[in-house]
Amino acid sequence: DNDASDTEPDDNINFSHLPSGRRPSVMDLNGKLVDIPISLPSKDPKKPQQKPSEEMKKDSRSVIAAGVQCIKLVTSVALVIFSVVVVMAAIFTRQTGAASYSIPPWAACVVFWALIMWLAAMEGGQGCLVGLQPVSREAYSATHPKTVKNTNMAHCGDNMERFIVGRQFLVVLVVFLVNTMGAAVPGANVLGLPEGVALVFLGSGLAMILTTIVLGQLTSQVNAATCMLDFTNSYFMFYFITCASLVVEYSGLLHSVYLVQMMFSAVTGNPIETNEVSKSAIQKFFFWGRALMSLVVLGFALAITIEALFAEKTTMWTGVPGWVSVVILFALMGFVGITEGMQIAFFAVLNMPEEELAKHPVAQANADLTFRGQNLQAFLIGRQMVSASGMFVVARIMTLNYDEGDTVFGFSESFQTFLNTGLLNAVVTTIVASLMWRIVASSFPVAFLSNPCINGII
């Protein structure tokens, strides 16, 4: 009702009252989402305008660069669409692992996409829960009540660490199940594809890897980073991700990882940080009992995997000797483990004093290469691609493939059916190819980055 001429416009548009993850974002010329600054200056023509900064000048791109970027985007979208079509065609023509379990194509399709959506929710959910730790719940309690339920559960005591451990197992298990539903059988061909194209996209598993990584991991991670509150504001996130991850960790299947953590704490002399009071005698007994159980399960799972590889009873590519398969498996798990630990190690040294890092020239060179220009963003995306691809290959090497009536170690057929689910394989992969390396990288980030091989992986 006030006369507009009597009202002076605000000098600044302020977004400081909004919590992280709620502030508006815009897309720059490179296609990246950039947060709008907390305070935006007004565009009063009477006020002198600042000259473009050097960074703004650098961001201006030529027509050729824009064309190259457009070609890359179109090619990427086309590859993903083609990969989805190829995977679905293989499922509906019964040329995937699902057919060996007598799963109808329509059911395999439903399970496949349900697993992809569950994987996407887990990948994005972890980033949201980690990113919301410093944000006061009062800022979003009225607008996002289900997000509050998630953060209350995940941020209580040491639950965030437990959530990460349990979630990692679920991610690996989902990858194994996706591999079972969508991995093509040897010699598969669909849509009349040329033999070479079929070998690349079906024989190597490239079509399924692209489908899973792009739709089930990277897309959700990017979206979750810009809308943390909305992403976690669902009961699905609460029950099937937050609670499910904590239940998996509570089961004790992965407690042998904590033994590695204790070992490195003893070696370095650094105490293990905790947000909880000391355990009672009963809690300690329960903890050590689960840790012992985890070691037994891990040893049993490794024994079954090695026996199956030497007997050539897995979905490993035909013609590869058993001992070579074992060597490739452990080498690949070590490689995937390094890629898992690199991300943690780099963020650990991000705020380390330059003079301290300079004492370790190899680690400093690796850090300089990663943090140079836009390399960090490219590294994070590329690392995800490499790590997930390695997980798929590990899943293919370890997945059991015994004929009907034939079992490992002479176990019953019902127990063999349980082993075929991939549950024990997921335990091995989660511990040996992921969590152990993450703990090492967290305890010794500089020593971890001093590995000369890391430069090539970057």
Side-chain angles (χ1 to χ4, degrees):
D1 295 334
N2 294 331
D3 189 353
S5 60
D6 297 332
T7 305
E8 287 293 330
D10 292 337
D11 287 340
N12 295 291
I13 304 172
N14 196 282
F15 297 110
S16 60
H17 65 287
L18 294 176
S20 176
R22 292 289 309 278
R23 293 172 188 157
S25 301
V26 294
M27 185 169 287
D28 67 6
L29 292 175
N30 291 317
K32 296 182 300 181
L33 285 171
V34 180
D35 288 339
I36 293 178
I38 291 178
S39 180
L40 289 179
S42 65
K43 296 183 179 179
D44 189 344
K46 298 179 181 180
K47 294 183 179 181
Q49 300 295 317
Q50 293 183 342
K51 295 182 179 180
S53 64
E54 290 298 324
E55 291 188 6
M56 294 177 62
K57 293 180 180 179
K58 290 180 182 179
D59 284 341
S60 61
R61 304 180 304 161
S62 66
V63 175
I64 296 178
V68 171
Q69 180 71 8
C70 182
I71 292 174
K72 290 162 64 178
L73 291 173
V74 172
T75 303
S76 176
V77 172
L79 279 174
V80 172
I81 294 175
F82 179 73
S83 297
V84 171
V85 172
V86 168
V87 171
M88 291 297 100
I91 289 177
F92 280 98
T93 55
R94 297 178 178 273
Q95 299 186 72
T96 68
S100 62
Y101 295 99
S102 302
I103 301 176
W106 67 267
C109 178
V110 171
V111 172
F112 179 86
W113 287 111
L115 291 171
I116 292 293
M117 288 188 287
W118 191 19
L119 178 63
M122 286 191 289
E123 291 289 356
Q126 175 178 259
C128 293
L129 292 179
V130 172
L132 289 173
Q133 286 186 97
V135 181
S136 173
R137 297 183 186 94
E138 296 179 358
Y140 54 87
S141 59
T143 57
H144 296 77
K146 290 180 280 294
T147 298
V148 174
K149 288 177 66 70
N150 277 292
T151 52
N152 280 338
M153 176 70 76
H155 298 164
C156 177
D158 292 334
N159 277 359
M160 196 65 221
E161 181 181 79
R162 299 185 182 105
F163 167 81
I164 292 174
V165 170
R167 187 213 70 103
Q168 185 65 22
F169 172 80
L170 290 177
V171 167
V172 174
L173 179 61
V174 167
V175 168
F176 271 88
L177 295 177
V178 167
N179 182 70
T180 300
M181 293 295 109
V185 298
N189 198 331
V190 297
L191 307 175
L193 294 175
E195 184 178 347
V197 176
L199 181 63
V200 170
F201 283 90
L202 287 174
S204 68
L206 179 62
M208 192 178 60
I209 290 174
L210 285 176
T211 300
T212 305
I213 294 176
V214 176
L215 301 182
Q217 294 182 306
L218 291 178
T219 303
S220 63
Q221 290 174 359
V222 171
N223 289 332
T226 57
C227 52
M228 296 181 184
L229 295 174
D230 294 330
F231 198 96
T232 53
N233 193 39
S234 69
Y235 284 114
F236 181 85
M237 174 71 191
F238 180 73
Y239 289 110
F240 290 94
I241 298 174
T242 304
C243 292
S245 298
L246 293 175
V247 168
V248 168
E249 191 278 340
Y250 185 79
S251 70
L253 278 174
L254 309 171
H255 268 49
S256 55
V257 170
Y258 296 127
L259 301 181
V260 179
Q261 184 184 40
M262 292 177 179
M263 181 183 68
F264 279 99
S265 174
V267 170
T268 60
N270 297 323
I272 300 174
E273 297 182 0
T274 179
N275 297 317
E276 299 177 349
V277 297
S278 300
K279 294 183 176 68
S280 64
I282 296 178
Q283 289 175 324
K284 289 180 180 179
F285 177 80
F286 187 47
F287 171 83
W288 285 105
R290 287 181 292 174
L292 179 60
M293 179 199 70
S294 178
L295 283 177
V296 172
V297 171
L298 177 61
F300 179 68
L302 283 172
I304 288 178
T305 300
I306 294 173
E307 167 65 18
L309 287 173
F310 275 112
E312 299 185 10
K313 294 293 185 178
T314 72
T315 54
M316 179 65 170
W317 287 273
T318 57
V320 181
W323 68 270
V324 175
S325 299
V326 173
V327 172
I328 293 175
L329 173 64
F330 282 95
L332 190 56
M333 286 197 295
F335 175 79
V336 172
I338 291 176
T339 64
E340 290 284 329
M342 285 171 62
Q343 180 175 348
I344 292 178
F346 278 127
F347 282 110
V349 303
L350 183 61
N351 297 318
M352 182 176 290
E354 283 290 334
E355 58 273 14
E356 179 66 24
L357 191 58
K359 299 176 182 178
H360 310 273
V362 176
Q364 184 182 37
N366 288 329
D368 290 343
L369 175 61
T370 303
F371 298 135
R372 185 184 307 152
Q374 300 296 321
N375 283 1
L376 179 60
Q377 180 185 10
F379 163 76
L380 294 176
I381 294 177
R383 187 211 68 83
Q384 183 69 41
M385 292 284 293
V386 171
S387 178
S389 300
M391 285 290 187
F392 269 102
V393 178
V394 168
R396 175 153 188 169
I397 295 174
M398 297 181 68
T399 300
L400 303 182
N401 187 29
Y402 280 83
D403 299 327
E404 187 175 355
D406 189 14
T407 62
V408 60
F409 290 140
F411 290 128
S412 65
E413 292 189 24
S414 59
F415 189 70
Q416 184 64 46
T417 302
F418 164 74
L419 296 178
N420 291 340
T421 62
L423 180 65
L424 294 183
N425 294 340
V427 171
V428 173
T429 307
T430 303
I431 295 175
V432 180
S434 179
L435 294 178
M436 288 178 57
W437 296 87
R438 291 187 177 203
I439 289 176
V440 173
S442 177
S443 302
F444 301 99
V446 175
F448 192 92
L449 294 178
S450 295
N451 184 349
C453 297
I454 287 182
N455 186 271
I457 297 176
I458 297 171

